[in-house]
Amino acid sequence: MKKKIAVFTTGWCSEILSQFLTGMQRSLIKENVDIFLFLCYPTYVDTPANKRGEVNIFSLPNLNDFDGVVIFGSGLDFHNIIESIIKRSKEAGIPVIIQGAQHEDTYFIGSDNYSATMEMCEHLQKRHDVHRIIFFAGTADSLDSELRLKAVKDYLDANNASEDLVEVFYTKWENAAVTRYINEFCKAGRELPDAFICANDGLAMETCISLNKNGYIVPDDVLVTGYDYIDDSQIFDPSIASVDQCFTKMGREAGNIWMNIFSKNESHDSSKDSDAGSNNNIDNNSDSNTISKSHIIPCEFIPGESCNCYKYRNSDKVRRRVGREAFTKRAMTTYFNRKLNLIDSTVLSCLTYQEFKTKLKNLLTENHDYEGDSFHVILEPNFGLSIYDQNIKLRKYGYSRYMEVLYSTEDGDIFPDDHFPSRELVPGYKGDKSNQKNHMYVFLPIHEADEAYGYIVFRDCMEKVENHYIQTYQSRMGLVFDKFRHALSLDLINKRLLEVMRRDPLTNVNNRIAFEDKVKFIQSEINSDSTPKFAIAMFDVNNLKLVNDSYGHDAGDAYLIRACHLICDIFKHSPVYRIGGDEFVAILTGDDYDNYKGQLDAMNNMMSQYSDQLPLPNNYISIACGIAVYDPEVDDAVLDTVKRADEEMYNNKTRMKSKDK
């Protein structure tokens, strides 16, 4: 069996995450190991419900099925979630590696941010004579950000310059917060510091842009530094002076730790099978088998153009490389956007849930170049049911035991079933083939607020993680699923309301509103020079007032229902409408139209003899009827035919009363 490692993080730090994972995969290349990356994109400004909907993907895996866990702390600042993952890992009895933050009973991999930040401060002070600093921090509970801030403070304190730190502003890792701050800063006419030290490269680049929009040039007017040394900051103008945290090296070290853990476990398992007195036994508690709990990777401060240092690196070389790649990326972006638009139009054109499943599955089957031959769309079983019944609720934590498979291919093989156990995570997963190439599966949630719709799975898509395509795909998929669900639910509600509005509650036939709509439709056919063949049959239930007054309204209602049943039984191929208290109308077409005279005779034979004398016979039914056939030579409108039928009905009522007398 292949070993399985679960990785938990958010995707906003996509470039450093991809560096870390690349390093880890390279270290594990000789092991049979698959990485399962549980990825989401919550933000600090999200509603609590949306945050829950995103991080719900972390609850998907059963950690008893895994050999280890990695928490990439540089992208996951939610400490309650980290605690929960560690607790689940302990319960499953598997080791945990945390990057970026130390925790008891886990392995730790970090970078020496502190020393590199001290080096940065020394460079700014001694080379550029920086004495006034504004620090753009991330969040107050971010260990990375706070460690960098502490290093700045410690350096200044050690050099008797603590007053040089003019201000610390917490951005919550939002570039927009930097823009607002600098706009207000400049509007207030405040004096620029000598340098802005930013907690990551994204904040640093936004600082340069915002300053430029307010008339200031970096580095001429002020210096700017960042952290992470990502590609975007290297090609940015000016290139950002930054701290390279060596995430690829951290990933390699994580892989090395796993190699040691796996080797140690295998040695331990072998020792169980050997003779207890054998000299080959390995003492797993001996120093030779102890794996260090803490692993620190040295960082390096790399000056750049944003701190007025041009000789430390060749930024133009990196820019030319990115320029060469721009065409390919632009072509991919164009194709990617077209695919997303096609998914949107396909889903939103569907009028039923079954049509939605069929059309989207066919689309992905015919064209999955972007998604690849291993791609899966998994839905909650109540996703479709909740569309048709508002009382059926979707899960707000975790995922159902059995999930619905909307689309699933693994190595090009289509998964044959409609449902599968969610504990298996990937339909058709071939983890039992230990000689198979190592893979990385990426799981992303589909949801609306905190309601889980399901999840999607990509495989071996590092570049899609890095360039945020995968996040765009996830968010667009969730958005279009939500639009479809709400549009179909609203349509069904409207149809049901319309049905209620058009239905007579007593007799359950159509009412006057429905009749008037039908008249308008037939009139539209007449107006378009069509010559529809129809007749209007008007009915008036005799002696309803007598029944109500003599026997009560319940008896009157029963009388109306009996009369309506008779009309419907005779003119069974035509719609019947109740248009008043005792009035009904039928629009005769087809066989009812061709044979209306014989059917009218049949109805007369089935009715009671007209009488207005009490007591009336049991099951008494007496109905006056008038029928008029539409004649384009006589009738300019449908209502002309209705009027003639109404006149004939009253003539029939008069004849019935006269006959009785």
Side-chain angles (χ1 to χ4, degrees):
M1 287 287 292
K2 297 182 75 173
K3 293 180 173 62
K4 295 162 60 178
I5 298 174
V7 179
F8 298 91
T9 191
T10 67
W12 295 118
C13 53
S14 59
E15 186 171 323
I16 60 176
L17 171 63
S18 64
Q19 292 172 15
F20 180 86
L21 292 172
T22 298
M24 190 164 75
Q25 284 184 310
R26 288 174 182 171
S27 285
L28 294 170
I29 196 167
K30 294 182 179 180
E31 282 278 352
N32 290 309
V33 181
D34 282 341
I35 294 174
F36 290 70
L37 173 60
F38 299 92
L39 194 64
C40 58
Y41 293 85
T43 67
Y44 289 97
V45 296
D46 277 344
T47 62
N50 197 65
K51 287 180 185 176
R52 289 194 297 270
E54 283 288 319
V55 301
N56 188 44
I57 195 67
F58 296 153
S59 68
L60 175 62
N62 185 322
L63 296 184
N64 290 288
D65 301 331
F66 285 82
D67 298 282
V69 163
V70 173
I71 299 173
F72 188 72
S74 289
L76 189 57
D77 281 342
F78 303 104
H79 295 294
N80 59 324
I81 295 174
I82 292 175
E83 294 288 342
S84 174
I85 295 171
I86 293 173
K87 179 181 178 183
R88 289 164 55 200
S89 302
K90 285 184 177 181
E91 291 171 352
I94 58 175
V96 179
I97 296 176
I98 298 184
Q99 177 278 330
Q102 289 183 296
H103 194 284
E104 186 180 2
D105 296 329
T106 67
Y107 296 94
F108 166 68
I109 295 178
S111 55
D112 192 1
N113 278 281
Y114 188 87
S115 296
T117 304
M118 299 284 277
E119 182 184 349
M120 173 196 291
C121 292
E122 183 178 19
H123 176 85
L124 291 175
Q125 186 187 65
K126 294 186 177 180
R127 185 172 182 84
H128 299 292
D129 198 30
V130 167
H131 291 288
R132 300 185 72 254
I133 297 170
I134 291 179
F135 190 93
F136 282 157
T139 60
D141 58 355
S142 168
L143 295 176
D144 280 348
S145 177
E146 289 300 283
L147 182 62
R148 295 161 191 173
L149 176 58
K150 182 179 185 304
V152 172
K153 291 180 176 179
D154 288 352
Y155 177 85
L156 295 177
D157 288 345
N159 288 273
N160 299 316
S162 57
E163 69 280 358
D164 285 0
L165 184 60
V166 176
E167 183 178 356
V168 176
F169 176 70
Y170 285 92
T171 65
K172 295 184 178 180
W173 302 114
E174 295 177 50
N175 289 346
V178 172
T179 301
R180 291 192 296 269
Y181 177 92
I182 290 179
N183 287 343
E184 293 171 3
F185 184 98
C186 295
K187 185 177 180 180
R190 294 175 59 185
E191 180 185 359
L192 282 177
D194 296 327
F196 287 96
I197 298 179
C198 304
N200 68 20
D201 287 346
L203 300 175
M205 289 185 282
E206 187 63 33
T207 299
C208 294
I209 292 170
S210 298
L211 286 168
N212 184 255
K213 288 180 178 179
N214 282 277
Y216 296 106
I217 299 175
V218 177
D220 295 358
D221 297 313
V222 61
L223 307 185
V224 174
T225 66
Y227 283 85
D228 297 337
Y229 196 55
I230 63 175
D231 282 354
D232 283 345
S233 76
Q234 294 177 52
I235 65 171
F236 188 76
D237 184 21
S239 61
I240 301 299
S242 186
V243 172
D244 185 357
Q245 297 194 76
C246 306
F247 282 98
T248 303
K249 291 182 180 179
M250 275 194 270
R252 287 176 181 167
E253 187 65 17
N256 291 334
I257 295 173
W258 286 124
M259 293 280 284
N260 290 331
I261 291 173
F262 296 152
S263 176
K264 180 179 178 180
N265 290 341
E266 288 168 2
S267 298
H268 180 63
D269 291 340
S270 298
S271 70
K272 289 180 180 179
D273 298 328
S274 64
D275 179 57
S278 170
N279 293 329
N280 293 325
N281 255 349
I282 297 176
D283 180 3
N284 287 294
N285 295 317
S286 65
D287 291 340
S288 61
N289 284 278
T290 299
I291 304 172
S292 175
K293 289 289 186 178
S294 182
H295 301 256
I296 304 298
I297 305 299
C299 293
E300 180 184 1
F301 171 63
I302 303 176
E305 295 166 359
S306 68
C307 74
N308 209 20
C309 291
Y310 290 81
K311 68 178 183 178
Y312 286 86
R313 49 178 144 136
N314 188 352
S315 298
D316 287 340
K317 183 177 180 180
V318 180
R319 290 165 182 152
R320 286 194 297 271
R321 174 178 62 80
V322 174
R324 286 196 303 270
E325 297 170 353
F327 172 77
T328 302
K329 288 185 177 180
R330 185 166 62 249
M332 174 57 76
T333 299
T334 300
Y335 168 76
F336 176 61
N337 288 332
R338 286 177 179 173
K339 181 61 179 290
L340 290 179
N341 291 337
L342 185 57
I343 291 174
D344 285 358
S345 60
T346 298
V347 171
L348 295 178
S349 69
C350 298
L351 300 178
T352 66
Y353 181 61
Q354 186 58 48
E355 185 183 10
F356 157 78
K357 292 199 299 181
T358 301
K359 282 190 172 183
L360 187 55
K361 183 175 182 178
N362 290 342
L363 172 64
L364 292 171
T365 301
E366 294 167 4
N367 178 6
H368 52 262
D369 291 342
Y370 177 81
E371 294 84 359
D373 284 340
S374 294
F375 177 68
H376 313 267
V377 182
I378 312 300
L379 293 181
E380 277 289 324
N382 280 348
F383 177 76
L385 296 176
S386 66
I387 294 174
Y388 296 95
D389 188 341
Q390 299 297 307
N391 293 316
I392 295 176
K393 303 300 181 183
L394 291 164
R395 296 178 68 101
K396 294 191 175 184
Y397 179 79
Y399 295 86
S400 298
R401 181 177 300 178
Y402 286 90
M403 302 289 284
E404 185 172 358
V405 180
L406 190 148
Y407 172 85
S408 174
T409 60
E410 182 71 0
D411 290 322
D413 297 330
I414 297 176
F415 189 72
D417 300 326
D418 293 331
H419 294 81
F420 91 113
S422 60
R423 182 167 179 171
E424 295 181 7
L425 299 178
V426 179
Y429 175 64
K430 301 170 184 176
D432 56 335
K433 296 185 178 181
S434 59
N435 60 342
Q436 193 185 47
K437 175 185 174 183
N438 290 349
H439 295 295
M440 182 180 76
Y441 293 87
V442 182
F443 299 78
L444 302 109
I446 306 175
H447 67 99
E448 164 58 21
D450 56 0
E451 292 185 323
Y453 289 176
Y455 62 91
I456 56 178
V457 187
F458 284 87
R459 194 181 83 175
D460 300 334
C461 55
M462 196 73 78
E463 76 288 347
K464 294 184 179 71
V465 173
E466 184 174 346
N467 58 29
H468 285 285
Y469 282 175
I470 201 170
Q471 186 268 333
T472 304
Y473 194 103
Q474 173 230 10
S475 61
R476 283 282 291 273
M477 186 77 84
L479 180 62
V480 72
F481 280 22
D482 183 59
K483 283 184 178 179
F484 163 75
R485 179 172 174 263
H486 284 290
L488 190 55
S489 295
L490 185 60
D491 182 59
L492 290 170
I493 290 172
N494 288 336
K495 286 179 179 177
R496 288 168 182 164
L497 288 174
L498 187 61
E499 183 68 19
V500 171
M501 290 174 58
R502 294 162 60 90
R503 185 70 57 178
D504 175 54
L506 176 65
T507 61
N508 205 37
V509 297
N510 298 312
N511 61 15
R512 176 178 285 277
I513 294 174
F515 174 66
E516 291 174 349
D517 288 343
K518 186 66 174 179
V519 167
K520 292 174 185 176
F521 174 75
I522 298 174
Q523 186 63 48
S524 70
E525 291 187 313
I526 296 173
N527 294 343
S528 62
D529 294 329
S530 176
T531 307
K533 294 176 65 176
F534 69 94
I536 300 294
M538 299 291 294
F539 306 92
D540 186 272
V541 179
N542 295 320
N543 297 323
L544 176 62
K545 186 175 186 304
L546 176 65
V547 173
N548 282 331
D549 292 345
S550 303
Y551 302 109
H553 285 278
D554 287 345
D557 288 346
Y559 177 34
L560 278 174
I561 292 171
R562 290 200 308 275
C564 180
H565 283 173
L566 176 59
I567 296 170
C568 292
D569 287 343
I570 295 298
F571 299 100
K572 63 182 61 178
H573 301 295
S574 303
V576 176
Y577 307 83
R578 184 186 179 195
I579 60 172
D582 55 5
E583 293 181 323
F584 294 84
V585 61
I587 301 176
L588 309 183
T589 58
D591 290 343
D592 290 343
Y593 172 83
D594 295 333
N595 304 309
Y596 74 88
K597 290 182 179 179
Q599 288 172 302
L600 182 58
D601 290 341
M603 189 176 79
N604 288 332
N605 292 332
M606 297 176 69
M607 286 193 299
S608 306
Q609 186 71 28
Y610 178 86
S611 174
D612 57 7
Q613 302 297 315
L614 296 175
L616 293 172
N618 292 332
N619 296 324
Y620 173 80
I621 301 177
S622 179
I623 306 171
C625 177
I627 298 178
V629 176
Y630 168 69
D631 184 352
E633 300 296 327
V634 176
D635 301 321
D636 294 328
V638 179
L639 292 179
D640 294 333
T641 311
V642 173
K643 183 178 180 182
R644 290 194 292 109
D646 197 47
E647 291 172 351
E648 181 59 31
M649 182 267 293
Y650 278 107
N651 291 335
N652 178 244
K653 181 182 281 286
T654 300
R655 290 193 296 270
M656 294 175 75
K657 290 181 178 180
S658 299
K659 186 176 180 180
D660 179 61
K661 293 179 180 179

